[in-house]
Amino acid sequence: MAAFSRRALFVPILIVAAIAALTLWSAFGGSTPKTVQQADARTVRFNMAWLPQGSMAGIFVAMDKGYFAEAGLNVEAVRGFGGIRTANELDQGMFEFAYIDPLSVALNRSKGGAAKMIGGINMRLPAGACFVKERHQIAKPADLAGLRFGAGQSSAIQALLPAWLNGNGVDPARVEQIQLDPAIVVSSLVEGRIDAAECWLGNSMALFDKAAKAKGVTIGRLAYADFGLDVYGSGFATRDALIEKDPELVRAFLKGAYRGYAEAARDPKGALAILRKYHPLLDEAVTERQIRETATLMAAEGGSHRLNPEKVARTVTYLQASGQLQGFDATAALFTNAFVPMGKPR
């Protein structure tokens, strides 16, 4: 492999990242449009952990069809900046609810925070390693050895990679992990600045395929879950203080949200139309694929949104094996199933 300069990669990347961030912020108007509020409803804020996309369709369906209003809520969906930052901001009380993963919650609580999962969305881990088939053939983790692997700097999954690689017989030192602005991960892979990249169903997978098609190449994907990383992806979270102070608010939010996601799964095209009503610049094909992939991820455990204690515990085990959370014994505090609606949303 040719000599590689981090500076050569990151100087142009930082420039592109600044342009991309400004473009995205302008395109989405800096915030999410608010729904018409009911005077007697309670306003709560929901952090999407990233920009509006198909994985958030259930929230916008619930807003648009009045599912939250029926539960006595006005929900404002606002953009986020990755799972780890979202967990910390949630813990600080900047939002009542958020879309985050058990990894970020565990890291938050290990530092004295009080974020907590309250229900699942991605019941199968949607993350994987993507690559350009015309340049590499990656069929197993060992094939990542010697490659430059890029991922968003706010991705909590990166904390698990050393343990995942070790568990699959790969020396983590042989995989060069590069942290990138999430906005340029796709272009960095397609344009060949990195060899492999973290990619997500319900999120960036459709973007990778779109960018690759424009470049005349094809994307391959290695799913982490197929090689032992059997943990949950993102779901709904809040913080201990809100659960203790207003458990009915938590229950009402989840009831409306899961109704929205159930409707989005039943009618992806209808959900797409609603989401684009709020964010008309979203790509139709990409967004609809994200909606459909999210519905598949939610159905992975028979449609249950309840979090399995053993599966949550595996998150902690992997973090410990990666040299983090040493001595952490609060796995049971990472989540609760007390507010998950029983039965299928009507």
Side-chain angles (χ1 to χ4, degrees), residues 49-137:
W50 187 230
L51 293 166
Q53 58 185 354
S55 60
M56 294 293 102
I59 294 295
F60 287 90
V61 169
M63 291 163 57
D64 193 77
K65 287 185 172 291
Y67 299 158
F68 285 131
E70 287 181 29
L73 303 178
N74 287 314
V75 174
E76 297 178 2
V78 297
R79 72 153 298 177
F81 297 87
I84 293 176
R85 174 169 167 177
T86 297
N88 293 335
E89 290 179 346
L90 175 70
D91 176 50
Q92 293 163 14
M94 295 174 64
F95 312 94
E96 283 77 19
F97 302 98
Y99 172 81
I100 49 179
D101 56 273
L103 300 170
S104 298
V105 170
L107 292 170
N108 170 264
R109 294 194 79 99
S110 72
K111 295 176 173 61
K116 178 170 286 188
M117 299 290 298
I118 53 175
I121 296 176
N122 297 327
M123 305 306 286
R124 174 180 167 86
L125 183 67
C130 277
F131 56 94
V132 174
K133 289 183 177 181
E134 287 78 5
R135 299 176 194 143
H136 300 284
Q137 287 300 311

Side-chain angles (χ1 to χ4, degrees), residues 271-330:
L272 170 65
I274 289 172
L275 189 49
R276 293 190 75 244
K277 181 165 66 174
Y278 290 86
H279 298 285
L281 296 182
L282 289 174
D283 181 281
E284 287 190 41
V286 166
T287 306
E288 183 176 347
R289 178 173 167 183
Q290 292 171 336
I291 293 170
R292 292 182 183 278
E293 287 176 348
T294 298
T296 299
L297 291 165
M298 291 187 74
E301 293 189 356
S304 171
H305 308 308
R306 299 174 68 82
L307 301 172
N308 184 301
E310 293 181 1
K311 196 165 182 175
V312 174
R314 279 196 288 273
T315 296
V316 174
T317 300
Y318 263 99
L319 284 169
Q320 290 172 334
S322 295
Q324 305 183 61
L325 302 190
Q326 298 303 315
F328 185 79
D329 60 357

Side-chain angles (χ1 to χ4, degrees), residues 17-334:
I19 296 172
L22 179 60
T23 301
L24 287 168
W25 188 250
S26 299
F28 287 105
S31 65
T32 297
K34 298 178 181 179
T35 53
V36 177
Q37 296 185 353
Q38 294 183 185
D40 59 345
R42 178 170 178 179
T43 297
V44 296
R45 285 159 59 87
F46 173 77
N47 187 312
M48 296 181 286
W50 187 230
L51 293 166
Q53 58 185 354
S55 60
M56 294 293 102
I59 294 295
F60 287 90
V61 169
M63 291 163 57
D64 193 77
K65 287 185 172 291
Y67 299 158
F68 285 131
E70 287 181 29
L73 303 178
N74 287 314
V75 174
E76 297 178 2
V78 297
R79 72 153 298 177
F81 297 87
I84 293 176
R85 174 169 167 177
T86 297
N88 293 335
E89 290 179 346
L90 175 70
D91 176 50
Q92 293 163 14
M94 295 174 64
F95 312 94
E96 283 77 19
F97 302 98
Y99 172 81
I100 49 179
D101 56 273
L103 300 170
S104 298
V105 170
L107 292 170
N108 170 264
R109 294 194 79 99
S110 72
K111 295 176 173 61
K116 178 170 286 188
M117 299 290 298
I118 53 175
I121 296 176
N122 297 327
M123 305 306 286
R124 174 180 167 86
L125 183 67
C130 277
F131 56 94
V132 174
K133 289 183 177 181
E134 287 78 5
R135 299 176 194 143
H136 300 284
Q137 287 300 311
I138 301 175
K140 55 188 183 301
D143 296 332
L144 291 169
L147 301 185
R148 297 164 295 178
F149 183 91
Q153 73 263 38
S154 295
S155 170
I157 292 290
Q158 289 193 79
L160 299 189
L161 276 183
W164 179 73
L165 290 168
N166 266 325
N168 283 281
V170 184
D171 180 358
R174 297 196 62 202
V175 180
E176 183 178 7
Q177 287 185 247
I178 301 173
Q179 295 188 348
L180 303 173
D181 184 295
I184 61 166
V185 173
V186 172
S187 61
S188 296
L189 177 68
V190 172
E191 294 171 10
R193 293 195 294 269
I194 54 178
D195 303 306
E198 190 169 282
C199 53
W200 299 75
L201 297 174
N203 183 318
S204 61
M205 192 66 231
L207 296 171
F208 275 102
D209 282 337
K210 179 182 178 180
K213 183 177 180 180
K215 192 75 171 178
V217 296
T218 50
I219 297 293
R221 182 175 183 271
L222 187 75
Y224 297 150
D226 289 343
F227 293 88
L229 193 51
D230 183 21
V231 298
Y232 288 116
S234 295
F236 294 115
T238 186
R239 61 188 184 280
D240 289 348
L242 184 60
I243 291 174
E244 294 168 5
K245 177 182 178 181
D246 199 343
E248 289 308 310
L249 173 62
V250 179
R251 187 168 286 107
F253 173 80
L254 286 185
K255 180 180 179 181
Y258 281 128
R259 283 186 69 189
Y261 274 96
E263 178 62 25
R266 284 192 293 267
D267 183 13
K269 288 190 177 297
L272 170 65
I274 289 172
L275 189 49
R276 293 190 75 244
K277 181 165 66 174
Y278 290 86
H279 298 285
L281 296 182
L282 289 174
D283 181 281
E284 287 190 41
V286 166
T287 306
E288 183 176 347
R289 178 173 167 183
Q290 292 171 336
I291 293 170
R292 292 182 183 278
E293 287 176 348
T294 298
T296 299
L297 291 165
M298 291 187 74
E301 293 189 356
S304 171
H305 308 308
R306 299 174 68 82
L307 301 172
N308 184 301
E310 293 181 1
K311 196 165 182 175
V312 174
R314 279 196 288 273
T315 296
V316 174
T317 300
Y318 263 99
L319 284 169
Q320 290 172 334
S322 295
Q324 305 183 61
L325 302 190
Q326 298 303 315
F328 185 79
D329 60 357
T331 302
L334 299 182

